[in-house]
Amino acid sequence: MKKILKQIEKLCPKEIIVVINGSNDRSIDLILSYSTYALKIYIYPFALGEDVWRSIGASEASGDVCLFLDTDTIIQAEELQPFAMACYKGVDIALQRSRNRIMDKAQNMETIMLARTFLNNLLSRDELGTSSMCDLPFAITRQAAAQIGFQHLLVPPLAHAMAIERGLRIERSHRIKGATSGEKGRPEGKRAWRELTCLGDHMEAIHYIAERNNHLIP
């Protein structure tokens, strides 16, 4: 956590918002002991859900641009800056540049990548490939987040679909060249649950598109 915060500080952000929910490790002690300017901490004693923290963070933020980060991944500041800069230059949502290939041998992950591709194709944005608001980091303007609805950010594929459907400028901004991830340390059961949740979120996004267009997806 401290290594991540040090990289964030290098960007000189207006504020740093940390949402901790259902943590049973030393995260709370570490974050409370960290001294930096404009640090806002929201602690919930129970798990809120996979991506609920996004809605909380965005609704509490006061800056013009929000940069969402994964606390399991340490990314250098120079790799994060392009996302925020893209939004300051006119992009509403700046996504990672996907490699457009399957990144995991697990069957569920392969299915997730196919779901991302299908969703982008369905939205006539096939040039996005597998790039998605599911991937962190990504940046979004506060105005765009409000237009989508802060409450919808807890379902990333749905927020992604709503952003495109509402004509927001969403682009692939930068490809992360190097990062230190703690994902491998997660229990297998938790990773499997996360993947299944992601698939369910994509189904919700597809259902939203079908309803908006008043037809069934073949």
Side-chain angles (χ1 to χ4, degrees), residues 51-112:
D51 293 301
V52 177
W53 63 270
R54 301 188 188 207
S55 294
I56 296 172
S59 62
E60 296 295 337
S62 61
D64 294 327
V65 175
C66 297
L67 178 65
F68 290 93
L69 302 175
D70 185 351
T71 56
D72 288 320
T73 307
I74 302 171
I75 301 174
Q76 300 301 307
E78 56 267 27
E79 295 277 16
L80 297 173
Q81 191 174 33
F83 296 98
M85 288 302 297
C87 286
Y88 281 115
K89 290 181 179 179
V91 174
D92 292 309
I93 303 174
L95 304 177
Q96 282 196 56
R97 285 186 175 273
S98 170
R99 297 179 184 274
N100 293 332
R101 65 181 178 86
I102 305 304
M103 300 296 291
D104 197 299
K105 294 181 180 180
Q107 182 176 357
N108 282 349
M109 279 303 296
E110 181 176 354
T111 305
I112 288 171

Side-chain angles (χ1 to χ4, degrees), residues 37-196:
Y37 73 98
L39 181 63
K40 297 181 180 180
I41 308 169
Y42 297 87
I43 301 175
Y44 297 84
F46 46 86
L48 299 174
E50 191 63 47
D51 293 301
V52 177
W53 63 270
R54 301 188 188 207
S55 294
I56 296 172
S59 62
E60 296 295 337
S62 61
D64 294 327
V65 175
C66 297
L67 178 65
F68 290 93
L69 302 175
D70 185 351
T71 56
D72 288 320
T73 307
I74 302 171
I75 301 174
Q76 300 301 307
E78 56 267 27
E79 295 277 16
L80 297 173
Q81 191 174 33
F83 296 98
M85 288 302 297
C87 286
Y88 281 115
K89 290 181 179 179
V91 174
D92 292 309
I93 303 174
L95 304 177
Q96 282 196 56
R97 285 186 175 273
S98 170
R99 297 179 184 274
N100 293 332
R101 65 181 178 86
I102 305 304
M103 300 296 291
D104 197 299
K105 294 181 180 180
Q107 182 176 357
N108 282 349
M109 279 303 296
E110 181 176 354
T111 305
I112 288 171
M113 294 303 167
L114 290 173
R116 291 185 183 188
T117 302
F118 178 74
L119 181 60
N120 283 328
N121 289 344
L122 193 63
L123 292 162
S124 300
R125 293 296 305 272
D126 54 291
E127 81 281 2
L128 293 177
T130 60
S131 292
S132 168
M133 288 176 69
C134 295
D135 282 337
L136 299 174
F138 77 87
I140 183 172
T141 65
R142 178 172 176 77
Q143 184 177 5
Q147 188 171 342
I148 294 170
F150 298 123
Q151 72 277 15
H152 295 304
L153 294 177
L154 62 88
V155 185
L158 176 61
H160 182 90
M162 294 179 73
I164 294 175
E165 190 266 339
R166 297 183 183 189
L168 296 179
R169 184 178 174 185
I170 179 169
E171 295 184 2
R172 299 190 300 168
S173 173
H174 181 66
R175 178 177 295 169
I176 301 296
K177 297 177 182 178
T180 303
S181 177
E183 179 71 19
K184 293 182 179 179
R186 295 193 178 196
E188 185 64 31
K190 186 173 182 179
R191 278 190 290 167
W193 174 256
R194 186 175 186 176
E195 291 163 2
L196 289 174

